[in-house]
Amino acid sequence: MSSSSRGPGAGARRRRTRCRRCRACVRTECGDCHFCRDMKKFGGPGRMKQSCLLRQCTAPVLPHTAVCLLCGEAGKEDTVEGEEEKFGLSLMECTICNEIVHPGCLKMGKAEGVINAEIPNCWECPRCTQEGRTSKVKGGRERHLKKKPKPPLASAEGPVVPSPSPQREKLERFKRMCQLLERVPDTSSSSSDSDSDSDSSGTSLSEDEAPGEARNGRRPARGSSGEKENRGGRRAVRPGSGGPLLSWPLGPAPPPRPPQLERHVVRPPPRSPEPDTLPLAAGSDHPLPRAAWLRVFQHLGPRELCVCMRVCRTWSRWCYDKRLWPRMDLSRRKSLTPPMLSGVVRRQPRALDLSWTGVSKKQLMWLLNRLQGLQELVLSGCSWLSVSALGSAPLPALRLLDLRWIEDVKDSQLRELLLPPPDTKPGQTESRGRLQGVAELRLAGLELTDASLRLLLRHAPQLSALDLSHCAHVGDPSVHLLTAPTSPLRETLVHLNLAGCHRLTDHCLPLFRRCPRLRRLDLRSCRQLSPEACARLAAAGPPGPFRCPEEKLLLKDS
């Protein structure tokens, strides 16, 4: 009976699983091989779906769903105690016909099967051995079921070395690679011990000879029985010499290398992409040039531009022009994908809205480092962990920054954002903060104290619009700091929002007369401010009177 007649899938090879016990299975990913760089956890696209090169199992086992082809049952070697009985009830996979059977289910008489000692539950079944089929992996370390082969006798020249199989060579190369990665450099103590051991074994070197040369001037051949010593301090002693055999490794394994993430550089498109004309199917060019098409595209919205990008390749390149994308709105999204981030960088918007979006710190830093012309950034409702990326990103052209309603923000974290970068030289007379050029700052709902407000006045002197609404710690002393003679905002403030600041009283209202350029003052929902005091301030006001369209809202026409 042939193997194909035993049942469906008799010749199909089952994929093996990890043993979870060898050194390769219990270690972590190296982060350096091309399989690790492809993983998403190390910043790759995740297309290969392969494990780390150093985590390839050396003894893969059969899956839990494997059953015997003859009886249909799984391995039952755990139910008996005898060695022969355990072997008869264990599942064995043939390397030739790929059949998985119990050796006890085979009725082959005195036929012999050859076991592969390198891979568990792997053999050459008696049927294939009797029929004389050749194994897919020839040679290697094997043992017979009925009769154990005698060990080869050592000759006068040296021990007999069997011809290695391709699978054995691959296993040895993998083990040598693991040893090279985890080997500890040789120390002076190990070198001194090796010298003393070599003298005791009768194979020591003379002082005038180079390492690796014998007394007669000949180098020992590979595979000889003499003592050897490698760079890592591992050595073998000739059998019968009585010398000690050092265990490996000699010292603790070095700490694993930090994973090196693969970096993808995304550059904006050229300012004038080719071609300048639209080619037609007939072979001629459209009479309208690229500049005329861009004027037409400027009247379209983001959705219409995305539809135009699907028309042809030329329109797709033209629609990436940054003049068509002055503002991009990615607000209220659960997360941002890598294609979305690359699309933002290619369009180079001047205003970017990421409010209430699950953007990570790494993604935000990646964006800010590539949007050098960004003028408006809205991060309201984001987590402080992602907003902290502003402390290490260059913002040379930023004019508007919105940080409203960020959760779990402390006063010390705001100071880190307002202070100058740590690479500022101490000898500089005037340090420039990260928000030096910001003209509008929105900090509504944050725990802003007077200490942070002093830093804000010092490192953001060009503010013309400031939103401190619903800040619980803002009171009369804060207004005094904003309107003090030494405050740079006294001459620059145009819009000031203090709505919902319950610590403000009527005593702070005369201080607003110190700001001559003030055009809008919002004091709504301030419970300790009386409407009569706000009406008196509106009547007197800075140089001209204010008008009150709503209660406690003061406006002045420019």
Side-chain angles (χ1 to χ4, degrees), residues 65-81:
T65 57
V67 294
C68 178
L69 185 63
L70 302 179
C71 64
E73 297 183 0
K76 299 179 291 184
E77 62 271 14
D78 297 336
T79 59
V80 295
E81 297 181 357

mmCIF file with all atom_site columns, all heavy atoms in Angstrom, residues 65-81:
data_model
loop_
_atom_site.group_PDB
_atom_site.id
_atom_site.type_symbol
_atom_site.label_atom_id
_atom_site.label_alt_id
_atom_site.label_comp_id
_atom_site.label_asym_id
_atom_site.label_entity_id
_atom_site.label_seq_id
_atom_site.pdbx_PDB_ins_code
_atom_site.Cartn_x
_atom_site.Cartn_y
_atom_site.Cartn_z
_atom_site.occupancy
_atom_site.B_iso_or_equiv
_atom_site.pdbx_formal_charge
_atom_site.auth_seq_id
_atom_site.auth_comp_id
_atom_site.auth_asym_id
_atom_site.auth_atom_id
_atom_site.pdbx_PDB_model_num
ATOM 1   N N   . THR A 1 65 ? -2.073 19.767 17.378 1.00 0.00 ? 65 THR A N   1
ATOM 2   C CA  . THR A 1 65 ? -3.181 19.163 16.615 1.00 0.00 ? 65 THR A CA  1
ATOM 3   C C   . THR A 1 65 ? -2.757 17.940 15.813 1.00 0.00 ? 65 THR A C   1
ATOM 4   O O   . THR A 1 65 ? -3.580 17.370 15.101 1.00 0.00 ? 65 THR A O   1
ATOM 5   C CB  . THR A 1 65 ? -3.773 20.204 15.662 1.00 0.00 ? 65 THR A CB  1
ATOM 6   O OG1 . THR A 1 65 ? -2.734 20.705 14.794 1.00 0.00 ? 65 THR A OG1 1
ATOM 7   C CG2 . THR A 1 65 ? -4.365 21.366 16.431 1.00 0.00 ? 65 THR A CG2 1
ATOM 8   N N   . ALA A 1 66 ? -1.468 17.546 15.885 1.00 0.00 ? 66 ALA A N   1
ATOM 9   C CA  . ALA A 1 66 ? -0.984 16.402 15.110 1.00 0.00 ? 66 ALA A CA  1
ATOM 10  C C   . ALA A 1 66 ? -1.523 15.098 15.710 1.00 0.00 ? 66 ALA A C   1
ATOM 11  O O   . ALA A 1 66 ? -1.528 14.914 16.938 1.00 0.00 ? 66 ALA A O   1
ATOM 12  C CB  . ALA A 1 66 ? 0.542  16.389 15.091 1.00 0.00 ? 66 ALA A CB  1
ATOM 13  N N   . VAL A 1 67 ? -2.000 14.209 14.840 1.00 0.00 ? 67 VAL A N   1
ATOM 14  C CA  . VAL A 1 67 ? -2.530 12.905 15.251 1.00 0.00 ? 67 VAL A CA  1
ATOM 15  C C   . VAL A 1 67 ? -1.918 11.825 14.373 1.00 0.00 ? 67 VAL A C   1
ATOM 16  O O   . VAL A 1 67 ? -1.343 12.102 13.305 1.00 0.00 ? 67 VAL A O   1
ATOM 17  C CB  . VAL A 1 67 ? -4.073 12.869 15.156 1.00 0.00 ? 67 VAL A CB  1
ATOM 18  C CG1 . VAL A 1 67 ? -4.698 13.816 16.152 1.00 0.00 ? 67 VAL A CG1 1
ATOM 19  C CG2 . VAL A 1 67 ? -4.533 13.193 13.739 1.00 0.00 ? 67 VAL A CG2 1
ATOM 20  N N   . CYS A 1 68 ? -2.042 10.606 14.827 1.00 0.00 ? 68 CYS A N   1
ATOM 21  C CA  . CYS A 1 68 ? -1.521 9.467  14.071 1.00 0.00 ? 68 CYS A CA  1
ATOM 22  C C   . CYS A 1 68 ? -2.350 9.243  12.811 1.00 0.00 ? 68 CYS A C   1
ATOM 23  O O   . CYS A 1 68 ? -3.590 9.342  12.827 1.00 0.00 ? 68 CYS A O   1
ATOM 24  C CB  . CYS A 1 68 ? -1.528 8.223  14.956 1.00 0.00 ? 68 CYS A CB  1
ATOM 25  S SG  . CYS A 1 68 ? -0.950 6.724  14.116 1.00 0.00 ? 68 CYS A SG  1
ATOM 26  N N   . LEU A 1 69 ? -1.667 8.938  11.723 1.00 0.00 ? 69 LEU A N   1
ATOM 27  C CA  . LEU A 1 69 ? -2.348 8.742  10.451 1.00 0.00 ? 69 LEU A CA  1
ATOM 28  C C   . LEU A 1 69 ? -3.122 7.431  10.427 1.00 0.00 ? 69 LEU A C   1
ATOM 29  O O   . LEU A 1 69 ? -4.099 7.295  9.684  1.00 0.00 ? 69 LEU A O   1
ATOM 30  C CB  . LEU A 1 69 ? -1.329 8.772  9.312  1.00 0.00 ? 69 LEU A CB  1
ATOM 31  C CG  . LEU A 1 69 ? -1.860 8.705  7.878  1.00 0.00 ? 69 LEU A CG  1
ATOM 32  C CD1 . LEU A 1 69 ? -2.715 9.919  7.564  1.00 0.00 ? 69 LEU A CD1 1
ATOM 33  C CD2 . LEU A 1 69 ? -0.721 8.593  6.882  1.00 0.00 ? 69 LEU A CD2 1
ATOM 34  N N   . LEU A 1 70 ? -2.726 6.458  11.251 1.00 0.00 ? 70 LEU A N   1
ATOM 35  C CA  . LEU A 1 70 ? -3.350 5.137  11.223 1.00 0.00 ? 70 LEU A CA  1
ATOM 36  C C   . LEU A 1 70 ? -4.499 5.014  12.218 1.00 0.00 ? 70 LEU A C   1
ATOM 37  O O   . LEU A 1 70 ? -5.588 4.570  11.869 1.00 0.00 ? 70 LEU A O   1
ATOM 38  C CB  . LEU A 1 70 ? -2.294 4.065  11.494 1.00 0.00 ? 70 LEU A CB  1
ATOM 39  C CG  . LEU A 1 70 ? -1.108 4.045  10.510 1.00 0.00 ? 70 LEU A CG  1
ATOM 40  C CD1 . LEU A 1 70 ? -0.119 2.970  10.892 1.00 0.00 ? 70 LEU A CD1 1
ATOM 41  C CD2 . LEU A 1 70 ? -1.615 3.821  9.086  1.00 0.00 ? 70 LEU A CD2 1
ATOM 42  N N   . CYS A 1 71 ? -4.252 5.449  13.475 1.00 0.00 ? 71 CYS A N   1
ATOM 43  C CA  . CYS A 1 71 ? -5.291 5.297  14.493 1.00 0.00 ? 71 CYS A CA  1
ATOM 44  C C   . CYS A 1 71 ? -6.051 6.580  14.767 1.00 0.00 ? 71 CYS A C   1
ATOM 45  O O   . CYS A 1 71 ? -7.102 6.547  15.423 1.00 0.00 ? 71 CYS A O   1
ATOM 46  C CB  . CYS A 1 71 ? -4.686 4.776  15.795 1.00 0.00 ? 71 CYS A CB  1
ATOM 47  S SG  . CYS A 1 71 ? -3.509 5.898  16.572 1.00 0.00 ? 71 CYS A SG  1
ATOM 48  N N   . GLY A 1 72 ? -5.535 7.731  14.319 1.00 0.00 ? 72 GLY A N   1
ATOM 49  C CA  . GLY A 1 72 ? -6.226 8.992  14.510 1.00 0.00 ? 72 GLY A CA  1
ATOM 50  C C   . GLY A 1 72 ? -6.129 9.565  15.906 1.00 0.00 ? 72 GLY A C   1
ATOM 51  O O   . GLY A 1 72 ? -6.906 10.465 16.250 1.00 0.00 ? 72 GLY A O   1
ATOM 52  N N   . GLU A 1 73 ? -5.210 9.087  16.737 1.00 0.00 ? 73 GLU A N   1
ATOM 53  C CA  . GLU A 1 73 ? -5.059 9.565  18.098 1.00 0.00 ? 73 GLU A CA  1
ATOM 54  C C   . GLU A 1 73 ? -3.740 10.330 18.232 1.00 0.00 ? 73 GLU A C   1
ATOM 55  O O   . GLU A 1 73 ? -2.814 10.154 17.449 1.00 0.00 ? 73 GLU A O   1
ATOM 56  C CB  . GLU A 1 73 ? -5.101 8.395  19.097 1.00 0.00 ? 73 GLU A CB  1
ATOM 57  C CG  . GLU A 1 73 ? -6.419 7.654  19.107 1.00 0.00 ? 73 GLU A CG  1
ATOM 58  C CD  . GLU A 1 73 ? -6.425 6.557  20.152 1.00 0.00 ? 73 GLU A CD  1
ATOM 59  O OE1 . GLU A 1 73 ? -5.395 6.409  20.851 1.00 0.00 ? 73 GLU A OE1 1
ATOM 60  O OE2 . GLU A 1 73 ? -7.444 5.863  20.270 1.00 0.00 ? 73 GLU A OE2 1
ATOM 61  N N   . ALA A 1 74 ? -3.690 11.184 19.279 1.00 0.00 ? 74 ALA A N   1
ATOM 62  C CA  . ALA A 1 74 ? -2.487 11.971 19.522 1.00 0.00 ? 74 ALA A CA  1
ATOM 63  C C   . ALA A 1 74 ? -1.455 11.138 20.266 1.00 0.00 ? 74 ALA A C   1
ATOM 64  O O   . ALA A 1 74 ? -1.670 9.954  20.565 1.00 0.00 ? 74 ALA A O   1
ATOM 65  C CB  . ALA A 1 74 ? -2.845 13.228 20.316 1.00 0.00 ? 74 ALA A CB  1
ATOM 66  N N   . GLY A 1 75 ? -0.327 11.774 20.577 1.00 0.00 ? 75 GLY A N   1
ATOM 67  C CA  . GLY A 1 75 ? 0.713  11.073 21.315 1.00 0.00 ? 75 GLY A CA  1
ATOM 68  C C   . GLY A 1 75 ? 0.296  10.753 22.739 1.00 0.00 ? 75 GLY A C   1
ATOM 69  O O   . GLY A 1 75 ? -0.247 11.603 23.446 1.00 0.00 ? 75 GLY A O   1
ATOM 70  N N   . LYS A 1 76 ? 0.554  9.514  23.173 1.00 0.00 ? 76 LYS A N   1
ATOM 71  C CA  . LYS A 1 76 ? 0.162  9.060  24.508 1.00 0.00 ? 76 LYS A CA  1
ATOM 72  C C   . LYS A 1 76 ? 1.361  8.541  25.278 1.00 0.00 ? 76 LYS A C   1
ATOM 73  O O   . LYS A 1 76 ? 1.243  7.628  26.097 1.00 0.00 ? 76 LYS A O   1
ATOM 74  C CB  . LYS A 1 76 ? -0.899 7.967  24.367 1.00 0.00 ? 76 LYS A CB  1
ATOM 75  C CG  . LYS A 1 76 ? -2.170 8.424  23.659 1.00 0.00 ? 76 LYS A CG  1
ATOM 76  C CD  . LYS A 1 76 ? -3.169 7.305  23.514 1.00 0.00 ? 76 LYS A CD  1
ATOM 77  C CE  . LYS A 1 76 ? -2.655 6.261  22.516 1.00 0.00 ? 76 LYS A CE  1
ATOM 78  N NZ  . LYS A 1 76 ? -3.666 5.197  22.285 1.00 0.00 ? 76 LYS A NZ  1
ATOM 79  N N   . GLU A 1 77 ? 2.523  9.131  25.045 1.00 0.00 ? 77 GLU A N   1
ATOM 80  C CA  . GLU A 1 77 ? 3.717  8.650  25.731 1.00 0.00 ? 77 GLU A CA  1
ATOM 81  C C   . GLU A 1 77 ? 3.730  9.003  27.208 1.00 0.00 ? 77 GLU A C   1
ATOM 82  O O   . GLU A 1 77 ? 4.503  8.408  27.985 1.00 0.00 ? 77 GLU A O   1
ATOM 83  C CB  . GLU A 1 77 ? 4.977  9.205  25.064 1.00 0.00 ? 77 GLU A CB  1
ATOM 84  C CG  . GLU A 1 77 ? 5.091  10.728 25.090 1.00 0.00 ? 77 GLU A CG  1
ATOM 85  C CD  . GLU A 1 77 ? 4.443  11.387 23.906 1.00 0.00 ? 77 GLU A CD  1
ATOM 86  O OE1 . GLU A 1 77 ? 3.681  10.692 23.200 1.00 0.00 ? 77 GLU A OE1 1
ATOM 87  O OE2 . GLU A 1 77 ? 4.698  12.583 23.690 1.00 0.00 ? 77 GLU A OE2 1
ATOM 88  N N   . ASP A 1 78 ? 2.896  9.947  27.637 1.00 0.00 ? 78 ASP A N   1
ATOM 89  C CA  . ASP A 1 78 ? 2.856  10.329 29.049 1.00 0.00 ? 78 ASP A CA  1
ATOM 90  C C   . ASP A 1 78 ? 2.070  9.342  29.901 1.00 0.00 ? 78 ASP A C   1
ATOM 91  O O   . ASP A 1 78 ? 2.104  9.437  31.134 1.00 0.00 ? 78 ASP A O   1
ATOM 92  C CB  . ASP A 1 78 ? 2.240  11.720 29.202 1.00 0.00 ? 78 ASP A CB  1
ATOM 93  C CG  . ASP A 1 78 ? 3.067  12.789 28.513 1.00 0.00 ? 78 ASP A CG  1
ATOM 94  O OD1 . ASP A 1 78 ? 4.280  12.549 28.337 1.00 0.00 ? 78 ASP A OD1 1
ATOM 95  O OD2 . ASP A 1 78 ? 2.499  13.846 28.151 1.00 0.00 ? 78 ASP A OD2 1
ATOM 96  N N   . THR A 1 79 ? 1.375  8.403  29.282 1.00 0.00 ? 79 THR A N   1
ATOM 97  C CA  . THR A 1 79 ? 0.543  7.461  30.046 1.00 0.00 ? 79 THR A CA  1
ATOM 98  C C   . THR A 1 79 ? 1.307  6.225  30.490 1.00 0.00 ? 79 THR A C   1
ATOM 99  O O   . THR A 1 79 ? 0.774  5.433  31.269 1.00 0.00 ? 79 THR A O   1
ATOM 100 C CB  . THR A 1 79 ? -0.660 7.039  29.201 1.00 0.00 ? 79 THR A CB  1
ATOM 101 O OG1 . THR A 1 79 ? -0.199 6.419  27.982 1.00 0.00 ? 79 THR A OG1 1
ATOM 102 C CG2 . THR A 1 79 ? -1.513 8.250  28.838 1.00 0.00 ? 79 THR A CG2 1
ATOM 103 N N   . VAL A 1 80 ? 2.526  6.034  29.980 1.00 0.00 ? 80 VAL A N   1
ATOM 104 C CA  . VAL A 1 80 ? 3.326  4.848  30.332 1.00 0.00 ? 80 VAL A CA  1
ATOM 105 C C   . VAL A 1 80 ? 4.655  5.314  30.898 1.00 0.00 ? 80 VAL A C   1
ATOM 106 O O   . VAL A 1 80 ? 5.027  6.492  30.823 1.00 0.00 ? 80 VAL A O   1
ATOM 107 C CB  . VAL A 1 80 ? 3.529  3.933  29.105 1.00 0.00 ? 80 VAL A CB  1
ATOM 108 C CG1 . VAL A 1 80 ? 2.194  3.358  28.635 1.00 0.00 ? 80 VAL A CG1 1
ATOM 109 C CG2 . VAL A 1 80 ? 4.171  4.710  27.969 1.00 0.00 ? 80 VAL A CG2 1
ATOM 110 N N   . GLU A 1 81 ? 5.416  4.349  31.470 1.00 0.00 ? 81 GLU A N   1
ATOM 111 C CA  . GLU A 1 81 ? 6.692  4.673  32.094 1.00 0.00 ? 81 GLU A CA  1
ATOM 112 C C   . GLU A 1 81 ? 7.877  4.046  31.387 1.00 0.00 ? 81 GLU A C   1
ATOM 113 O O   . GLU A 1 81 ? 8.982  4.578  31.437 1.00 0.00 ? 81 GLU A O   1
ATOM 114 C CB  . GLU A 1 81 ? 6.680  4.212  33.556 1.00 0.00 ? 81 GLU A CB  1
ATOM 115 C CG  . GLU A 1 81 ? 5.634  4.920  34.413 1.00 0.00 ? 81 GLU A CG  1
ATOM 116 C CD  . GLU A 1 81 ? 5.671  4.461  35.848 1.00 0.00 ? 81 GLU A CD  1
ATOM 117 O OE1 . GLU A 1 81 ? 6.485  3.542  36.147 1.00 0.00 ? 81 GLU A OE1 1
ATOM 118 O OE2 . GLU A 1 81 ? 4.899  5.003  36.672 1.00 0.00 ? 81 GLU A OE2 1
#
